[in-house]
Amino acid sequence: SLQHQSWTDDLPLCQMCGVGTAPNCVYGPDGKGTQSHPNEDGHLRFRGDDGCFLYGVFNGYDGSRVANFASQCLTAELLLGQLNSGHTDNDVRRILTQAFDVVEKSYFETIDDALAEKANLSNYLLPHNENVPFHQLSPQSQKVMERLKELEQEVSGGATVAVALILNNKLYIANVGTNRVLLCKSSSDGQNQVLQIGRPHSTDNEDELQRLAALGLDSARIRQAGQIAGQSSTRRLGDYRVKFNYNEIDLLSAAKSKPVVAEPEIHGGQSLEGVTGFLLLMSEGLINALESAHGPEQANQEIVAMVAAELAQQTSLEAVAQSVVDRVKRLHHDVFVSGRQRATYCSRHEDMTLLIRTLNYPLADAALTPTQGGRVCPVSVPYLNSQSTSKTSVTLSLVMPSQSTLTNGTNTASTLEEGTPTPGSQSPTATLQSTNTQTQSSSSSSGDGSLFRQRGSQAAQPDETGRVPPYVDFSQFYRLWGSDHGDGQSMQGGLGPQ
């Protein structure tokens, strides 16, 4: 019944965001991938009343039940009249915290009957039957075992959640688990500041380890284990095993109270007044795939560069988000088949979800080309060196619309500010600055932008055959080639421009 039940059918979807997804994949020796389980991620993207917007990414595991339930219930707890423009920051934070608490309790209420039946059937089986092979059990005991497996599948699973709420033009982030939220702010001088909001609740988060140590657990042992009941998250929704039976889990058995919780860490409200850029919500599977392929050092900068590149080329946010996810998937696969140093980290990836919400940020205008006045914005894109694991930054000149506007309802923002450079002038070098609660670093593009230098505005027009005269002179290349080979045949042999 949950598959058909929805409390939010009448809420309008937000048109200022796009979502891209890819299912999990396990690579074989031939490089071909197969899906090991149905997609367990989820997301939400609604526009409420009173200028309220709600977005979320859910990373499900051991089934999609918790992710699906939470995406519906959380929306119902936040967008059906609970929030309004008169609420203060403290009010919003309180409402968000209460919503997560209600979702957790409501989910466990839905599986109460199944848990009770599971406990009853477990008591029915005599202890000495636990290690007896299935085919040696009595027919009645076999039926009980089969039913227990069904119930276990029904009640198992959990989800980590990253939620973004925009109210009164302020941004609030509520996070439970290991998903990631990035806010990219673009300035008029060509710089992009990348802010990671919050840290993942994982077994290497010092604050989380201190919280668990205060409950009587061995934090060093938890860090070394790297996982709690199969997951790296220390906060999650659902997962009855670690919520109700944690005393039976060796790693958690000494806890004085429930160690794995669903309480969100809330950031905000952060004013979005005058902000131009975009907000990214990513499931753990997406960021892990990118970090597995290229290392964790520049993952935030890389994903932002990919999004900026696609925003400059695509006319649909859905296409932007899907293109970025597809690119990460391709990078991950290419590293695996390359056999390079990081190939061992890329034998598989989990479900991937990316949600992009633009903030007064222009999409590409397909009618504009670089020679027609399009705005050229260089973006620093790190690439993996084939000889090592180090990265280099290559300046890519990306065409942005020069005069179009982004309009949604009453929200209209100009896409070209005073003094924006034209293709005829030198474009500023874009700088990606990564900031989170722990560290701050920057990555600057280098070079003069000549890799994809634009042709001048006086470029020749196609003739009647649809061709244009050559506009790249290779004569110097041929002269150098001829001098290196010393045969003097570069212009007359097989390498000339004929």
Side-chain angles (χ1 to χ4, degrees), residues 336-406:
F336 172 76
V337 299
S338 71
R340 294 198 298 264
Q341 181 179 356
R342 299 202 64 85
T344 55
Y345 300 101
C346 299
S347 61
R348 62 173 298 146
H349 67 75
E350 271 301 328
D351 304 318
M352 298 188 287
T353 301
L354 170 66
L355 186 148
I356 303 173
R357 166 54 148 93
T358 54
L359 304 167
N360 301 317
Y361 199 94
L363 280 174
D365 187 339
L368 287 178
T369 67
T371 58
Q372 294 173 325
R375 179 181 176 188
V376 179
C377 296
V379 176
S380 175
V381 183
Y383 284 86
L384 192 66
N385 189 306
S386 60
Q387 303 299 324
S388 68
T389 57
S390 62
K391 300 181 182 67
T392 57
S393 295
V394 180
T395 301
L396 303 180
S397 295
L398 302 174
V399 181
M400 299 293 287
S402 60
Q403 297 177 345
S404 64
T405 57
L406 176 65

Side-chain angles (χ1 to χ4, degrees), residues 70-187:
S71 64
Q72 291 188 34
C73 187
L74 198 58
T75 304
E77 289 298 320
L78 292 172
L79 290 188
L80 299 184
Q82 297 89 338
L83 292 165
N84 61 67
S85 59
H87 282 133
T88 65
D89 288 349
N90 287 334
D91 293 333
V92 174
R93 286 192 285 264
R94 174 179 50 80
I95 292 172
L96 282 169
T97 302
Q98 290 176 348
F100 274 81
D101 184 56
V102 169
V103 169
E104 173 93 336
K105 292 178 179 177
S106 298
Y107 169 72
F108 284 129
E109 287 177 1
T110 67
I111 64 173
D112 271 348
D113 291 343
L115 287 174
E117 183 183 354
K118 182 174 180 291
N120 184 51
L121 291 178
S122 298
N123 292 331
Y124 172 82
L125 288 176
L126 295 176
H128 63 267
N129 284 338
E130 292 181 358
N131 298 321
V132 176
F134 181 81
H135 67 275
Q136 295 182 8
L137 293 173
S138 66
Q140 190 170 8
S141 294
Q142 288 182 356
K143 290 182 180 180
V144 171
M145 289 291 292
E146 291 174 350
R147 179 57 180 159
L148 280 172
K149 289 181 180 179
E150 294 175 357
L151 290 170
E152 180 64 26
Q153 184 176 2
E154 182 178 338
V155 300
S156 292
T160 58
V161 185
V163 166
L165 172 70
I166 298 178
L167 180 67
N168 294 331
N169 211 21
K170 287 184 177 181
L171 174 65
Y172 303 86
I173 300 296
N175 181 50
V176 171
T178 48
N179 300 316
R180 185 171 299 185
V181 179
L182 299 180
L183 176 62
C184 178
K185 297 180 179 180
S186 302
S187 59

Side-chain angles (χ1 to χ4, degrees), residues 8 10 45 59 71 78 104 158 241 249 260 289 311 419 476 497:
T8 56
D10 295 332
R45 44 183 295 186
N59 179 48
S71 64
L78 292 172
E104 173 93 336
R241 296 169 299 174
I249 301 174
V260 178
L311 284 169
Q476 183 180 5

